[in-house]
Amino acid sequence: MTPPTRALSTLAFLTLLFIAFVMGANHVAARLAFNHGVDVPTAVTFRSAVTALVVGALLAIYKVPLALTPRQRKALPLIGVLIAVQSLCLYSAVARLPVALALLVFNSFPLMTALWARLLYGHRPERALLVAMPVILLGLVLALDVLGAASGLGAAGQWRQIGAGVAYALAASATFGLALVLTQHEAGGLDGRLRTFATMAMVGLLAGAAVAWRGGFALPTATAGWWGLALLTLLYGTGITILFTVLPRLGVVGNSAVMNVEPVFALVLAWLILGQAIAPVQVAGAFIVVGAVIWLGMRKK
């Protein structure tokens, strides 16, 4: 039986909003780095390696047990590979699309999670998800301007412009959904900090291998790029650290859907910092997607 969700305190709610802001800012910083010479494997390697070091230090400070069951030892490498693919794909989408749109497409992962749970474990999707699914899809249709009406490019021109970015974001959503399902069923009992450390270490190694295969790090070509690379690393590490050390103490388990306002923060920050703007109908679509995802996460179970 699922335990009842605890009500959010003001501090917990503000902490969740802060994490959403930090994660949205992380992707804006990533786009800033990409605009000034950094490539995706370089960004993922820096971000993941530093995060692994920070979370590894937390493991030592809090003396988290490192023992794994045979099932967890089998599942963690696969989860690590999936998160590595998800990270590379999501940053590739951010490099090609307005940041908020890339995150909105990625936020379709609750649908992907339900699909993988059905395929792998025979779980029937909840009625709430079936209700939310067409709403999320409608929001995405508006946000992406799939017919090219807002951009004036027409459907063909619009998809030539956004097609690759949308494909990367959908791949990130699919791999993240699969990672979530495997985490729940194969490694659910593992301490979140240990799981994050193992995952980030593997992501860093795999992204580092991609960097080596491409001939080395693609470092920033301008000061703004260095700021972007430093900030994306700092912001992601900060968000993950708070997520797995502070939130459990605040009793927010089951309320984390508040963090799905991340695309809204990214929309505002990308407009202010990068000059990225989208049409009003796309903003409306963004709020439809975010609202549906938050409703899914905060509904009574």
Side-chain angles (χ1 to χ4, degrees):
M1 182 175 179
T2 303
T5 300
R6 290 173 57 183
L8 281 174
S9 67
T10 301
L11 177 59
F13 180 75
L14 292 176
T15 303
L16 287 169
L17 285 182
F18 177 72
I19 294 174
F21 173 80
V22 165
M23 289 303 195
N26 149 63
H27 288 98
V28 174
R31 180 59 181 261
L32 183 64
F34 299 147
N35 288 348
H36 294 88
V38 177
D39 65 5
V40 171
T42 297
V44 174
T45 301
F46 271 78
R47 183 204 74 177
S48 303
V50 172
T51 302
L53 289 173
V54 172
V55 179
L58 291 174
L59 294 178
I61 292 170
Y62 288 98
K63 296 181 173 59
V64 177
L66 303 181
L68 301 175
T69 66
R71 190 171 185 174
Q72 290 167 347
R73 281 196 293 270
K74 291 178 181 177
L76 273 182
L78 178 56
I79 293 170
V81 170
L82 289 170
I83 296 299
V85 173
Q86 177 258 324
S87 299
L88 291 167
C89 287
L90 182 54
Y91 272 5
S92 295
V94 167
R96 290 166 171 81
L97 291 174
V99 178
L101 297 188
L103 294 179
L104 280 172
V105 178
F106 172 69
N107 263 28
S108 65
F109 68 81
L111 309 184
M112 299 294 186
T113 302
L115 176 62
W116 287 117
R118 176 64 174 168
L119 292 175
L120 297 179
Y121 297 99
H123 291 182
R124 288 184 175 274
E126 296 181 52
R127 182 176 178 275
L129 183 66
L130 296 178
V131 171
M133 188 179 301
V135 177
I136 292 173
L137 293 177
L138 171 63
L140 285 175
V141 167
L142 294 175
L144 293 173
D145 186 26
V146 296
L147 298 179
S151 66
L153 298 174
Q158 179 72 350
W159 279 99
R160 276 196 299 270
Q161 190 171 75
I162 70 171
V166 171
Y168 275 118
L170 286 174
S173 176
T175 50
F176 187 64
L178 178 55
L180 289 180
V181 171
L182 292 177
T183 297
Q184 177 183 348
H185 290 275
E186 308 298 332
L190 194 60
D191 187 284
R193 292 162 294 183
L194 179 55
R195 185 170 61 239
T196 300
F197 169 75
T199 301
M200 287 296 103
M202 183 168 293
V203 172
L205 289 173
L206 292 174
V211 167
W213 179 72
R214 296 184 65 159
F217 289 110
L219 296 176
T221 57
T223 302
W226 284 107
W227 275 109
L229 185 59
L231 285 173
L232 76 88
T233 303
L234 174 65
L235 291 167
Y236 185 84
T238 300
I240 287 294
T241 301
I242 295 174
L243 188 64
F244 287 113
T245 57
V246 177
L247 291 195
R249 298 170 182 268
L250 295 176
V252 298
V253 176
N255 294 291
S256 57
V258 175
M259 291 188 295
N260 285 296
V261 298
E262 176 188 345
V264 177
F265 285 125
L267 179 66
V268 175
L269 290 171
W271 172 61
L272 291 173
I273 297 171
L274 303 174
Q276 292 182 350
I278 60 177
V281 67
Q282 293 178 283
V283 175
F287 278 98
I288 289 173
V289 174
V290 170
V293 173
I294 291 177
W295 174 76
L296 270 179
M298 300 192 73
R299 71 193 185 282
K300 292 183 178 179
K301 298 182 176 62

